[in-house]
């Protein structure tokens, strides 16, 4: 059963993701922010992480960078629901920035459960493929 760490400060988002993924045979750990996510990462090995970009205290970008440094082989999905008040002004592409910091994939909130499951399965398949390649080289 794949283990997934979900890091988001919104309890409703966490609950929805947890319920959906547990119904699809994933073991889910919820962390309500970057610090809690890092503590969870210290004690347990995960197959995948899902991290919100905008959270109080430790920002998601900082979390993504640190998570990627501490667990570089674990796929990380960054998610963001950030909306800009003025659509006429140029806006930074936060999801692309997350990819540059080490995220494997990005999801823009709101996303469908099917989109979440698809991205998770792609990331896990890619990680398994990389692992198989490393094992074969030895």
């Amino acid at each position: 059963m794949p283990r997934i760490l979900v890091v988001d400060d919104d309890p409703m988002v966490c609950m929805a993701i947890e319920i959906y993924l547990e119904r699809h045979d994933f073991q889910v750990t919820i962390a309500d922010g970057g610090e809690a996510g890092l503590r969870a990462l210290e004690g347990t090995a995960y197959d995948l992480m899902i991290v919100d970009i905008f959270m109080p205290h430790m920002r998601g970008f900082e979390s993504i960078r640190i998570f990627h440094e501490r667990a570089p082989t674990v796929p990380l999905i960054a998610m963001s629901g950030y909306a800009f008040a003025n659509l006429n002004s140029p806006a930074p592409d936060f999801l692309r920035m997350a990819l540059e910091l080490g995220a494997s994939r990005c999801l823009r909130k709101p996303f469908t459960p099917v989109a979440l499951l698809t991205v998770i399965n792609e990331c896990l398949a890619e990680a398994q493929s990389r692992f198989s390649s490393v094992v074969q080289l030895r």
Side-chain angles (χ1 to χ4, degrees), residues 13-81:
V13 169
C14 290
M15 185 172 62
I17 291 173
E18 181 178 30
I19 290 168
Y20 182 74
L21 292 182
E22 286 180 347
R23 287 183 181 160
H24 286 85
D25 299 321
F26 292 98
Q27 185 175 347
V28 180
T29 299
I30 299 297
D32 64 357
E35 292 94 348
L38 290 173
R39 284 192 302 273
L41 194 60
E42 288 174 6
T44 307
Y46 293 95
D47 299 296
L48 184 124
M49 295 179 280
I50 302 171
V51 181
D52 188 23
I53 291 176
F54 293 100
M55 297 180 286
H57 307 296
M58 180 183 286
R59 300 284 182 233
F61 285 122
E62 183 180 358
S63 298
I64 288 168
R65 183 184 57 77
I66 295 170
F67 285 136
H68 186 64
E69 285 174 0
R70 294 198 183 166
T73 61
V74 177
L76 189 149
I77 299 169
M79 58 182 174
S80 175

